[in-house]
Amino acid sequence: MTRELFDIAIVGGGAAGLSAALVLARSRRSVVLLDAGAPRNAPAAHMHGFLSRDGFPPSHLLEIGREEIASYGARVVPHSVTSVTGDAGDGFVLTTDEGVEIVARRIILATGVEDVLPDIPGAREAWGRFLLHCPYCHGYEVGDGSLAVFGGVPGAVRHALLLRQWSSDLTYFANGSAIAKEDACLLGARGIRVHDGRIAELLLDGERFRGVRLESGDVVPVDAVFLRPESRPRTELVAALGGVVDGAGFAHLDASGRTSVPGVWVTGNLVDPRGQVITAAGHANAVAMDVNADLVDDDVRVELLETR
């Protein structure tokens, strides 16, 4: 099988992957972007906080991005990567789910994270529409409505205190967890109501959200619920190359996004799962410059050897 060699393989075609591809293709690098087509923000109808693109459908941004990188010669392969071997010296070999092998001198992983939703009826159907995670992404659109926070998870109280900025009608569902005295005082000071019962179901009626049903049977009508989900990083490829990941699965990296595997960088939500689209794109822009500089150093070493 003929293997095509690229300077850089980018795994993940969201805003971060596309941003890195744009910078590198404009740097006259050969770039291949491998994208399984499952962006984290796919359930959301619109994205916000991205200067000049506020309110864009996420799919529209990705479509424009793919057109832009293609105009500079970057190639898009619409498949997932199932395995990777090799190193920065001899090249990395990436194999797709269709058995295609691609060789690259450097790798940028922009594979993002998987949001783990609570195992209750209605959660998955409401995700991105009525069950939301980021007030900076969605708070303005539901502001002044009757909002709620899904408690019992790390950071939930802080999340509630933050959301009070968008609405004075806010309920904190403790979801069966004990609330520390100090946290109760903070919630009370912000005028946030507390329900002690466990959440049993999120109630949807077609395109209408009816609210939250507790295990007691009580139904609390709200317009939207905010949740800080667990975010599982998609760093399997780093681990496959022998890279160091922490207990939560995030790769060990330096300030530039380099992992412990020479020649492999991570960017986007793999670095900061809370980052918005514009944040992910900006980080990838800087990572791409660092990757290009690293390749320049490599090119110079080869050229020096050839002149001796």
Side-chain angles (χ1 to χ4, degrees), residues 15-16 46 80 114 123 155 164 171 185 192 198 208 213 227 240 250 302 304-305:
H46 304 93
S80 60
E114 175 188 2
R164 177 61 179 78
T171 299
C185 290
I192 300 169
R198 289 186 177 275
R208 178 172 168 267
R213 182 174 67 82
L227 166 73
F250 287 93
V302 172
L304 282 173
L305 288 173

Side-chain angles (χ1 to χ4, degrees), residues 200-214:
E201 183 180 5
L202 300 183
L203 301 172
L204 286 87
D205 184 7
E207 293 300 311
R208 178 172 168 267
F209 186 59
R210 293 174 48 208
V212 174
R213 182 174 67 82
L214 302 177

Side-chain angles (χ1 to χ4, degrees), residues 16 18 20 49 85 141 155 158 208 219 244 262:
L18 288 166
T85 58
E141 282 62 46
R158 180 64 182 168
R208 178 172 168 267
V219 174
V244 179

Side-chain angles (χ1 to χ4, degrees), residues 4-305:
E4 189 169 358
L5 174 64
F6 292 87
D7 288 325
I8 304 103
I10 299 171
V11 185
L18 288 166
S19 179
L22 182 61
V23 172
L24 288 162
R26 284 178 50 82
S27 302
R28 305 294 179 91
R29 293 293 180 184
S30 57
V31 178
V32 59
L33 184 144
L34 302 107
D35 180 34
R40 182 187 188 188
N41 61 356
H46 304 93
M47 64 175 195
H48 294 281
F50 198 129
L51 188 64
S52 84
R53 292 295 181 265
D54 188 71
F56 255 43
S59 59
H60 192 181
L61 181 75
L62 300 186
E63 180 182 348
I64 293 172
R66 286 191 291 268
E67 291 174 354
E68 287 181 350
I69 68 170
S71 72
Y72 291 104
R75 185 177 306 177
V76 177
V77 176
H79 297 289
S80 60
V81 175
T82 56
S83 68
V84 60
T85 58
D87 55 44
D90 296 323
F92 297 98
V93 180
L94 300 95
T95 305
T96 73
D97 53 3
E98 291 203 337
V100 176
E101 293 185 340
I102 291 169
V103 182
R105 297 169 63 193
R106 301 292 184 268
I107 295 175
I108 297 175
L109 296 178
T111 43
V113 298
E114 175 188 2
D115 293 313
V116 182
L117 302 182
D119 187 20
I120 59 172
R124 189 155 299 279
E125 294 81 359
W127 183 239
R129 298 190 297 152
F130 309 110
L131 179 61
L132 309 168
H133 75 294
C134 173
Y136 294 102
C137 301
H138 307 288
Y140 188 88
E141 282 62 46
V142 296
D144 295 326
S146 180
L147 306 181
V149 173
F150 201 116
V153 298
V157 170
R158 180 64 182 168
H159 209 39
L161 299 176
L162 179 65
L163 273 160
R164 177 61 179 78
Q165 178 69 24
W166 282 268
S167 177
S168 60
D169 186 355
L170 186 59
T171 299
Y172 180 84
F173 290 107
N175 202 30
S177 65
I179 301 177
K181 183 177 180 180
E182 180 183 355
D183 287 338
C185 290
L186 293 173
L187 292 169
R190 293 285 272 172
I192 300 169
R193 296 182 299 274
V194 175
H195 272 281
D196 295 325
R198 289 186 177 275
I199 296 175
E201 183 180 5
L202 300 183
L203 301 172
L204 286 87
D205 184 7
E207 293 300 311
R208 178 172 168 267
F209 186 59
R210 293 174 48 208
V212 174
R213 182 174 67 82
L214 302 177
E215 286 186 350
S216 64
D218 292 337
V219 174
V220 182
V222 294
D223 299 317
V225 180
F226 281 80
L227 166 73
R228 289 198 69 173
E230 176 189 354
S231 298
R232 293 178 183 168
R234 298 188 177 106
T235 50
E236 297 87 354
L237 297 181
V238 175
L241 289 168
V244 179
V245 296
D246 63 20
F250 287 93
H252 285 205
L253 50 96
D254 67 12
S256 71
R258 295 180 189 228
T259 71
S260 59
V261 181
V264 179
W265 282 254
V266 296
T267 189
N269 287 152
L270 278 182
V271 175
D272 180 8
R274 296 181 302 170
Q276 290 187 288
V277 176
I278 194 169
T279 312
H283 184 270
N285 180 283
V287 165
M289 294 179 191
D290 195 66
V291 173
N292 184 58
D294 186 66
L295 284 169
V296 168
D297 291 342
D298 199 44
D299 293 338
V300 171
R301 283 192 294 269
V302 172
E303 289 159 355
L304 282 173
L305 288 173

